[in-house]
């Protein structure tokens, strides 16, 4: 298993001869074809160790890696190390083996369309094994730890080898402990004195995957006190710590931004912070008329300022007159309670690799919401990506954040927005109509079969809009490696 897993790194000594039509590019095409690779209809499950063990045949193979369960049945024939090698981990938690051989491989992007769900029983305890000791500690998951303090605050640092895909922070149930779940690994510290909640969090903004978690000290009589000892790293409890899938939140603000779109900010009731990766969404849940109803929404950040990551999460919600959940949600008051799920999604900013210099975002209506954080990510000062947003709406009054987008254009020369209205009035001087191949060709070149190709496209909108856009991109010979369509 160890040698076979190494094949995914590109080591030719471990590769086998794949069947025609089974390259990595063919696998990506299959993943974007709409074929259900999960075997569950896309429904995320909570999988026990016993359930996982039942899926270990070539016709039905599941594997657990870092807390997530993947259906690898369809992937077996695409695995560079061969079917037999990958089957050694089928029906088991193969996290430790994977970490020993090639923890640097981004398996999450390769298997992102195969996610069955998450393990609810403890995963391999080996990956958590790390004796508590002061100063930087290297985990088997390639996470290094450090800390520093000032008279009024303490900061904990995580240095990740892989891009940040998961981050939860909690100060419960014990105020004298701080627990962090990063990329599937639990890390705990004992706190010498109480710290204030919520933390101030700085997430990675460049190639160094550094996370900073800063908490203010509780100032007692006698003024600020410097800790005289190093906060000890805690061993993982015998029973793995868990954070429920759905957590209670309360509404802390709600604002109407046009005639039917609102921004709503929620905050966890408990001492919990949960990071949502760029392009991922969460489910909001409420009990309405005796029924539990959930709807998916993508968090947004401020377009005009460097994004901060407080404990609150902001959503942009369009109220539909016949929408049971949206009409209820947009009429909430400050203090109202609902529940929010764990993050979910398959998009990764790693798809937009270092060869991309032109990012084209094609959005219709509230399909704009996942684009907000992508824009913020692409316009970071150290990047050199030019971003163009092609924004489709019915009328001018439907355009979301038109003023903010105009300000962003004036503030950043790498950003351009162009509006297309299908029901524009006579005063409108911009583009009119619907998405067409001719319109796309005004902002996108036909794909040139050369490597690297500097364009990447993201699409989000109603299902029919997204399907049309993808068809036109395929007609322009764009491979799935150069575009991503948000669905559902």
């Amino acid at each position: 298993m160890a040698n076979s897993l190494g094949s995914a790194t590109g080591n030719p000594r471990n590769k086998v001869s794949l069947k025609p039509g089974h390259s990595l590019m063919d696998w990506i095409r299959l993943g974007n074809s709409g074929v259900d690779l999960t075997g569950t209809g896309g429904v995320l499950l909570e999988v026990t160790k016993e359930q996982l063990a039942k899926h270990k045949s070539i016709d039905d193979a599941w594997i657990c890696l870092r807390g997530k369960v993947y259906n690898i049945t369809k992937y077996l024939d695409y695995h560079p190390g061969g079917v037999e090698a990958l089957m050694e981990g089928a029906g088991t938690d193969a996290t430790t083996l994977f970490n020993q051989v090639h923890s640097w491989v981004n398996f999450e992007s390769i298997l992102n369309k195969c996610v069955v769900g998450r393990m609810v029983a403890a995963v391999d305890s080996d990956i958590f094994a790390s004796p508590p000791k002061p100063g930087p500690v290297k985990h088997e998951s390639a996470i290094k730890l450090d800390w520093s303090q000032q008279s009024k605050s303490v900061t904990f640092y995580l240095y990740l080898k892989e891009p940040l895909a998961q981050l939860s922070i909690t100060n419960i149930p014990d105020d004298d402990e701080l627990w962090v779940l990063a990329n599937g690994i639990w890390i705990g510290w004992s706190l010498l004195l109480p710290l204030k909640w919520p933390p101030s969090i700085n997430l990675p903004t460049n190639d160094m995957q550094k996370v900073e978690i800063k908490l203010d000290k509780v100032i007692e009589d006698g003024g600020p006190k410097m800790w005289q000892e190093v906060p000890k790293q805690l061993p993982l409890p015998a029973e793995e710590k868990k954070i429920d899938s759905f957590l209670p939140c309360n509404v802390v603000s709600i604002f109407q931004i046009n005639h039917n779109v609102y921004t709503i900010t929620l905050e966890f009731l408990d001492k919990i912070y949960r990071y949502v990766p760029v392009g991922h969404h969460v489910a909001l849940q409420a009990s309405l008329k005796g029924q539990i109803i959930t709807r998916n929404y993508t968090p947004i950040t401020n377009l005009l300022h460097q994004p901060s990551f407080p404990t609150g999460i902001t959503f942009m919600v369009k109220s539909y007159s016949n929408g049971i959940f949206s009409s209820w949600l947009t009429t909430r008051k400050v203090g109202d309670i609902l529940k929010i799920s764990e993050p979910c999604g398959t998009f990764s900013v790693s798809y937009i690799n270092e060869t991309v210099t032109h990012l084209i975002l094609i959005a219709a209506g509230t399909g704009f919401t996942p684009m907000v954080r992508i824009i913020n990510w692409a316009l970071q000062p150290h990047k050199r990506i030019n971003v163009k947003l092609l924004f489709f709406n019915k009328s001018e009054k439907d355009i979301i954040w038109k003023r903010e987008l105009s300000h962003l254009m004036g503030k950043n020369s790498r950003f351009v927005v162009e509006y297309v209205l299908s029901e524009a009035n006579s005063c409108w001087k911009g583009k009119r109509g619907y998405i067409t191949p001719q319109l796309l060709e005004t902002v996108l070149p036909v794909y040139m079969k050369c490597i690297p190709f500097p364009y990447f496209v993201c699409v989000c909108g109603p299902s029919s809009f997204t399907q049309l856009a993808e068809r036109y991109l395929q007609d322009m010979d764009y491979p799935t490696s150069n575009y991503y369509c948000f669905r559902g």
Side-chain angles (χ1 to χ4, degrees):
M1 177 71 169
N3 287 338
S4 64
L5 280 175
S7 64
T9 68
N11 184 344
R13 294 176 297 173
N14 297 326
K15 287 189 175 181
V16 300
S17 179
L18 297 174
K19 302 174 185 176
H22 285 76
S23 67
L24 177 59
M25 189 61 67
D26 293 313
W27 172 248
I28 294 172
R29 290 193 186 96
L30 179 62
N32 287 306
S33 68
V35 173
D36 176 23
L37 300 178
T38 67
T40 66
V43 177
L44 293 178
L45 306 178
E46 294 189 340
V47 183
T48 65
K49 186 176 182 179
E50 293 72 24
Q51 290 170 326
L52 177 65
K54 295 177 181 178
H55 301 270
K56 56 182 180 181
S57 69
I58 289 180
D59 298 325
D60 181 19
W62 291 6
I63 194 170
C64 177
L65 294 170
R66 296 183 188 165
K68 283 187 178 180
V69 178
Y70 300 88
N71 186 338
I72 58 172
T73 310
K74 300 288 187 183
Y75 179 64
L76 291 172
D77 289 335
Y78 293 82
H79 183 237
V83 174
E84 291 184 5
L86 195 55
M87 282 300 296
E88 291 182 34
T92 72
D93 184 341
T95 304
T96 300
L97 284 172
F98 180 87
N99 286 343
Q100 289 172 349
V101 178
H102 62 194
S103 61
W104 57 88
V105 172
N106 188 2
F107 70 87
E108 290 171 315
S109 65
I110 295 173
L111 299 177
N112 65 68
K113 299 295 178 69
C114 304
V115 178
V116 172
R118 67 183 183 93
M119 288 289 290
V120 293
V123 298
D124 278 1
S125 58
D126 290 349
I127 64 173
F128 298 109
S130 183
K133 51 186 173 181
V137 180
K138 183 172 182 179
H139 289 244
E140 288 184 298
S141 62
I143 299 179
K144 291 184 179 180
L145 307 177
D146 203 352
W147 77 288
S148 66
Q149 68 169 318
Q150 296 180 331
S151 60
K152 297 183 179 180
S153 66
V154 177
T155 304
F156 297 90
Y157 304 93
L158 283 69
Y159 299 89
L160 311 178
K161 190 168 185 178
E162 294 184 346
L164 181 64
Q166 178 191 41
L167 180 67
S168 295
I169 304 169
T170 181
N171 194 209
I172 57 175
D174 301 307
D175 284 341
D176 59 351
E177 296 181 358
L178 181 71
W179 285 95
V180 177
L181 176 61
N183 288 359
I185 306 300
W186 276 109
I187 304 157
W189 287 276
S190 62
L191 306 178
L192 278 69
L193 293 171
L195 298 175
K196 294 181 182 179
W197 190 269
S200 171
I201 300 161
N202 287 324
L203 298 180
T205 57
N206 52 38
D207 293 336
M208 184 173 70
Q209 296 297 316
K210 176 184 176 182
V211 178
E212 297 182 12
I213 305 165
K214 179 181 177 181
L215 297 102
D216 290 334
K217 296 177 180 177
V218 175
I219 306 302
E220 300 175 339
D221 294 342
K225 295 181 180 178
M226 297 294 286
W227 289 5
Q228 300 303 310
E229 298 179 26
V230 172
K232 297 295 190 298
Q233 187 190 332
L234 297 169
L236 192 74
E239 182 177 346
E240 182 191 354
K241 296 180 71 66
K242 293 185 178 73
I243 295 179
D244 292 339
S245 296
F246 279 88
L247 297 172
C249 291
N250 71 312
V251 178
V252 295
S253 69
I254 180 167
F255 297 102
Q256 186 169 0
I257 59 175
N258 73 8
H259 67 102
N260 63 356
V261 177
Y262 299 74
T263 57
I264 300 171
T265 299
L266 306 178
E267 192 169 73
F268 293 110
L269 291 181
D270 297 321
K271 293 181 178 180
I272 289 173
Y273 166 85
R274 184 178 270 168
Y275 166 66
V276 183
V278 175
H280 285 218
H281 61 270
V282 298
L284 302 185
Q285 183 185 88
S287 177
L288 303 179
K289 299 180 180 179
Q291 289 186 313
I292 301 297
I293 299 178
T294 62
R295 293 290 186 271
N296 294 336
Y297 292 97
T298 304
I300 61 168
T301 48
N302 194 307
L303 272 178
L304 299 178
H305 305 285
Q306 185 68 25
S308 59
F309 297 91
T311 51
I313 304 178
T314 300
F315 303 91
M316 188 175 282
V317 181
K318 183 175 181 179
S319 178
Y320 295 90
S321 58
N322 60 345
I324 296 175
F325 195 92
S326 67
S327 59
W328 174 86
L329 182 58
T330 53
T331 54
R332 293 306 85 209
K333 306 297 182 185
V334 172
D336 285 351
I337 306 295
L338 65 159
K339 290 187 174 183
I340 186 171
S341 77
E342 293 178 307
C344 184
T346 60
F347 177 80
S348 171
V349 292
S350 64
Y351 298 162
I352 309 170
N353 60 42
E354 64 277 1
T355 66
V356 173
T357 57
H358 292 76
L359 178 60
I360 308 299
L361 309 176
I362 303 172
T366 49
F368 168 65
T369 53
M371 307 305 182
V372 173
R373 293 181 65 199
I374 294 175
I375 292 170
N376 274 324
W377 173 85
L379 294 182
Q380 293 177 80
H382 70 280
K383 295 189 180 297
R384 294 295 179 264
I385 301 175
N386 294 297
V387 182
K388 181 157 190 176
L389 171 65
L390 194 60
F391 198 2
F392 291 80
N393 287 276
K394 286 185 178 181
S395 65
E396 192 168 2
K397 72 174 184 177
D398 295 311
I399 298 174
I400 300 169
W401 274 2
K402 189 172 187 289
R403 183 175 62 180
E404 286 83 350
L405 291 168
S406 296
H407 285 174
L408 184 59
M409 273 200 296
K411 180 181 175 183
N412 197 311
S413 61
R414 291 192 284 126
F415 177 73
V416 174
V417 60
E418 190 165 10
Y419 304 104
V420 184
L421 303 183
S422 59
E423 299 176 7
N425 59 31
S426 57
C427 299
W428 179 251
K429 296 180 181 179
K431 281 186 166 64
R432 300 167 181 262
Y434 301 89
I435 188 167
T436 64
Q438 294 76 20
L439 182 57
L440 286 188
E441 288 174 4
T442 66
V443 296
L444 278 172
V446 174
Y447 180 76
M448 302 294 293
K449 293 180 174 60
C450 60
I451 301 296
F453 184 69
Y455 281 79
F456 191 91
V457 185
C458 292
V459 181
C460 189
S463 297
S464 57
F465 175 90
T466 303
Q467 290 169 5
L468 275 176
E470 182 168 27
R471 185 192 309 168
Y472 299 151
L473 288 170
Q474 291 171 347
D475 290 343
M476 297 169 71
D477 293 328
Y478 272 69
T480 54
S481 58
N482 284 79
Y483 71 84
Y484 183 90
C485 294
F486 291 91
R487 306 179 193 277

